């Protein structure tokens, strides 16, 4: 089954404790991206990657890091999480300029 | 930068009424996509429009792309409770699609 998976689905952590949210897709898509979704603000892009070893900032990259060492994986790293990064995070993948397939989401709470 | 405005933010309708959400961009878009997100779920792709003035239909849903490729609309005829969710437009011309803030549709039975 074609899908985008994210782990963990839920995470409660404390300020400053480094964390990684994994994202993996099995559709051989070149394009992957991370979004955060906050009430009233819609989906805001954090980082995107057009292919292996190629990443670039989206609209709200501050406080986040990403890497794309393999085509299927695109982890999101929060080196020192802060409460303002409490949000719902979605990973997505796409083939060129076509539809994006979203993962199920990761709900992060930073205390 | 490119901005995509979407209105209204919320819409309450009685089941059977029609619903429309509008998307407006500050710049010309090469394409526009529409997504639906059910409560507690993730965005799911509905359709992509590319051509100026394009109109596409999916059962009770009608999607339009403006002649100037700066606006788009999604119209649902005779809403059903299964239509509940938030509808997002996403405009782009690159790998950086800009999402509107979404319109949340609430359908009262």
């Amino acid at each position: 089954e074609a899908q985008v998976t994210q782990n963990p689905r839920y995470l409660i952590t404390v300020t400053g404790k480094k964390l990684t949210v994994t994202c993996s897709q099995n559709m051989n898509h070149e394009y992957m991206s991370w979004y955060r979704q906050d009430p009233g603000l819609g989906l805001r892009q954090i980082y995107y990657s057009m292919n292996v070893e190629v990443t670039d900032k989206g609209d709200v990259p501050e406080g986040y890091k990403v890497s794309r060492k393999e085509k299927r994986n695109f982890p999101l790293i929060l080196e020192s999480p802060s409460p303002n990064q409490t949000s719902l995070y979605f990973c997505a993948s796409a083939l060129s300029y076509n539809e994006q397939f979203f993962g199920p989401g990761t709900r992060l709470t930073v205390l | 930068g490119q901005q995509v405005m979407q209105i209204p933010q919320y819409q309450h309708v009685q089941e059977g009424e029609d619903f429309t959400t509008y998307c407006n961009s500050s710049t010309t878009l090469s394409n526009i996509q529409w997504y639906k997100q059910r409560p507690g779920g993730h965005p799911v792709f509905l359709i992509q429009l590319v051509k100026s003035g394009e109109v596409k239909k999916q059962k009770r849903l009608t999607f339009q792309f403006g002649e100037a490729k700066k606006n788009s609309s999604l119209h649902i005829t005779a809403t059903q409770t299964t239509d509940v969710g938030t509808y997002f437009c996403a405009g782009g011309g690159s790998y950086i699609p800009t999402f509107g803030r979404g319109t949340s549709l609430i359908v009262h039975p």
Side-chain angles (χ1 to χ4, degrees), chain A residues 28-96:
Chain A
N28 202 35
H29 286 168
E30 294 170 343
Y31 173 74
M32 297 186 74
S33 63
W34 276 102
Y35 295 87
R36 62 177 289 173
Q37 185 174 34
D38 303 289
L41 297 180
L43 291 157
R44 294 181 293 168
Q45 191 174 57
I46 303 170
Y47 270 94
Y48 67 98
S49 169
M50 292 171 62
N51 215 324
V52 176
E53 301 293 357
V54 180
T55 64
D56 210 342
K57 298 177 181 178
D59 295 324
V60 289
E62 293 77 22
Y64 305 95
K65 285 177 58 176
V66 294
S67 68
R68 187 90 182 274
K69 293 183 170 57
E70 304 167 281
K71 197 171 188 178
R72 64 183 294 127
N73 297 323
F74 191 44
L76 179 69
I77 303 156
L78 284 73
E79 298 246 343
S80 183
S82 62
N84 64 13
Q85 292 178 297
T86 292
S87 187
L88 177 59
Y89 292 87
F90 288 103
C91 179
S93 73
L95 188 64
S96 187

Side-chain angles (χ1 to χ4, degrees), chain A residues 31 37 45 50 97 100 103, chain B residues 35 37 42 45 48 95-96:
Chain A
Y31 173 74
Q37 185 174 34
Q45 191 174 57
M50 292 171 62
Y97 297 116
Q100 292 195 69
Chain B
Y35 292 80
Q37 183 178 21
H42 59 276
F45 176 82
Q48 176 169 281
Y95 281 111
I96 315 177

Side-chain angles (χ1 to χ4, degrees), chain B residues 25-38:
Chain B
S25 170
S26 56
T27 59
T28 302
L29 303 169
S30 64
N31 66 74
I32 194 153
Q33 299 175 347
W34 286 92
Y35 292 80
K36 177 183 178 181
Q37 183 178 21
R38 295 182 186 274

